[in-house]
Amino acid sequence: MHDRPANTLTTAVKAGYGAGQIAGQLFRDAPSLLLLFYLTSIIGMPPAIAGAAIFIPKVFFGAVSDLGIGILSDRLVDRVPRRRWLLIGAVMAPLAMVATFAVPDAALWVQVGYVALAFSVYMIAFSTFSVPYLAQFAEMTDDPGERTVLMAWKHGMTGVGVLLGAALTPVLIHLLGGGRAAYLIAATVLGLLCAATLLIAWAAAGRIRVVPRVKRVLTLRALLGVLAYRPFVVLCASAVAMTVAAGMSYASFAFFVTYNMARSDAFVQIGIISTIMAVVVMTGSPLWVYVARRIGKKNAYLVAAIGHALTMLVWSLSADAPIGMVYVFGACVGFFNTGWGLVMLSLLADTIAGSRAERGDDRAGSFSAVWTIIEKSGIALGGTLIAGFVLSAAGFSAALAKQGGVQPASALTGIAFAYGVLPGILKLIAAAIVWRFVPADLVKAVPVKAPVHAG
């Protein structure tokens, strides 16, 4: 591998590699947006049980596989470039996606066991491409400004993923009748889209030359040692609050539109709202790059996180708002989500590069593994365990939902709390963490030493 200045990366390469984020977003959205609703309202599982069946394997197997892939991708990087892991993901993704929704018509305990097993495989498949994919971003350039541009491409592709997964998929399910078969067909389409976008990213990555190689730290102890790096710990703390909030909102979205907004065309409206969000995400990234350059990454993050929090709080308490106002809420969510997501990932890449410069070793896979564990666990905690518990505690009835009955008023209160109130509070907490502990210029705050080259 040879050095290659960041500015020689063409737009086509940046866009092509960014396309891999579409697969990551689809793998995140499918269980976060659809699975809890599917298991409760279509299959008939109690929300708390369904949430636990997803949460336990998502956290355990997600953590184990992320750590394992993180170690392997660092250890084998000279023989197995990170891009090759995307090929493994392209093969596993369609199989794992379909298996997760192919819940048998059987006794409850059989269904719970099946969901737990299938979702364990799902999380292993997710790790095979998500950890190496994120790690390579930190190796593509040593320019903090260019990292923001790269993350803008990545986040722009997040919008495409939202469009395909959260916008078009619910509409497809609606058009196919909304039953089990509709979800299976949709899962098949999503799996094939994941495979296609991972192949595009794999091809683009072949034209990328990473920044200079340095000594690699390959042990599990060293991998866990990234948690001793203070700038990374601060970002992780804010990420926990943000991902738990995001998981709750995603999982409660279909419930909120179906029951609180009382829309008979709920999945069509979810598609429209998600389309608006996706378009804003795709078009808003360049603006947030400009904002981050003008006022700094930290301030840009604070504006985005606080704006997102306030939007969710107001929206969750405005279920009776005119549909036009709901579309405005959706646009605001997409806009502010773009800001905090893009800036946070740019700060993460700065942190990984700062550690490499300070310590003289390459832990990109280790940092990425721990980060993805936190991200996936936070979304699982919020989107399955907490959301499921809140809905059950508030009196949501899966039996009534399966029969198309009316939910009690307490259940509607619980849905609003899970959708926007608690997530809004958590987003404000994340903003407070960044405001208090992240330096205005993270890169300059990291002492730089000469890297130790391998070999």
Side-chain angles (χ1 to χ4, degrees):
M1 291 183 289
H2 303 284
D3 300 1
R4 184 175 183 174
N7 57 15
T8 64
L9 288 177
T10 66
T11 299
V13 170
K14 294 176 184 177
Y17 193 71
Q21 176 61 19
I22 298 174
Q25 191 66 29
L26 293 178
F27 249 64
R28 168 181 159 171
D29 280 355
S32 299
L33 178 63
L34 302 172
L35 190 54
L36 185 62
F37 186 86
Y38 172 68
L39 293 177
T40 55
S41 298
I42 305 300
I43 302 299
M45 287 186 186
I49 294 177
I54 302 170
F55 174 76
I56 294 173
K58 188 168 188 177
V59 171
F60 178 75
F61 282 95
V64 171
S65 55
D66 281 348
L67 287 172
I69 297 300
I71 292 174
L72 286 176
S73 68
D74 279 349
R75 183 183 295 273
L76 302 176
V77 71
D78 291 322
R79 289 174 290 169
V80 182
R82 298 194 199 276
R83 63 190 288 261
R84 293 188 186 174
W85 290 95
L86 304 184
L87 290 179
I88 300 174
V91 173
M92 296 184 65
L95 301 176
M97 185 72 75
V98 173
T100 299
F101 286 88
V103 182
D105 187 5
L108 178 61
W109 68 271
V110 174
Q111 292 178 328
V112 171
Y114 177 86
V115 170
L117 177 62
F119 208 66
S120 298
V121 175
Y122 187 95
M123 294 308 299
I124 294 171
F126 197 0
S127 297
T128 59
F129 67 86
S130 62
V131 174
Y133 178 75
L134 181 59
Q136 188 156 358
F137 272 104
E139 300 173 339
M140 292 165 65
T141 177
D142 54 5
D143 181 353
E146 185 70 4
R147 289 188 205 110
T148 304
V149 175
L150 288 169
M151 290 308 170
W153 275 105
K154 181 178 182 294
H155 212 74
M157 292 301 176
T158 295
V160 178
V162 171
L163 180 64
L164 295 172
L168 299 182
T169 302
V171 175
L172 175 62
I173 291 172
H174 175 81
L175 294 175
L176 293 172
R180 292 191 185 201
Y183 281 85
L184 280 174
I185 294 173
T188 301
V189 172
L190 290 177
L192 293 175
L193 286 171
C194 288
T197 54
L198 287 172
L199 289 174
I200 292 172
W202 167 79
R207 300 170 60 187
I208 296 170
R209 294 177 181 176
V210 301
V211 295
R213 293 188 304 167
V214 294
K215 177 181 63 179
R216 304 191 185 280
V217 179
L218 308 175
T219 65
L220 177 60
R221 180 180 179 182
L223 185 150
L224 296 177
V226 301
L227 292 174
Y229 192 57
R230 187 177 184 278
F232 183 64
V233 173
V234 171
L235 293 184
C236 287
S238 63
V240 169
M242 273 297 194
T243 54
V244 170
M248 291 189 69
S249 295
Y250 259 103
S252 305
F253 189 23
F255 293 92
F256 185 78
V257 178
T258 301
Y259 301 107
N260 292 55
M261 291 175 57
R263 300 291 309 197
S264 58
D265 60 343
F267 270 41
V268 172
Q269 290 302 324
I270 289 172
I272 295 173
I273 297 167
S274 298
T275 298
I276 294 171
M277 292 180 182
V279 171
V280 173
V281 168
M282 288 184 286
T283 58
S285 293
L287 176 59
W288 281 107
V289 172
Y290 173 78
V291 171
R293 285 173 175 169
R294 291 287 296 176
I295 67 175
K297 295 182 184 182
K298 176 179 177 177
N299 290 333
Y301 178 88
L302 294 176
V303 170
I306 294 172
H308 199 175
L310 296 178
T311 300
M312 292 306 300
L313 287 168
V314 174
W315 189 359
S316 65
L317 301 175
S318 307
D320 296 330
I323 194 64
M325 181 58 66
V326 172
Y327 296 157
V328 172
F329 287 145
C332 290
V333 167
F335 178 71
F336 291 123
N337 180 78
T338 300
W340 71 258
L342 184 158
V343 175
M344 178 54 72
L345 289 174
S346 183
L347 289 172
L348 173 63
D350 290 346
T351 301
I352 295 173
S355 173
R356 182 173 59 237
E358 178 184 354
R359 300 181 178 186
D361 55 41
D362 185 359
R363 307 188 189 202
S366 301
F367 278 107
S368 299
V370 173
W371 183 265
T372 53
I373 288 171
I374 290 172
E375 184 178 59
K376 293 173 187 176
S377 298
I379 291 173
L381 179 61
T384 56
L385 202 62
I386 296 178
F389 175 79
V390 169
L391 294 183
S392 288
F396 182 87
S397 172
L400 283 175
K402 192 173 182 180
Q403 297 167 6
V406 178
Q407 295 292 330
S410 62
L412 301 183
T413 301
I415 292 171
F417 183 76
Y419 179 61
V421 176
L422 184 53
I425 294 171
L426 289 171
K427 287 179 172 65
L428 292 176
I429 292 173
I433 292 172
V434 171
W435 173 76
R436 176 65 180 82
F437 296 107
V438 173
D441 191 330
L442 180 63
V443 178
K444 289 182 180 179
V446 175
V448 178
K449 301 177 182 177
V452 179
H453 293 264

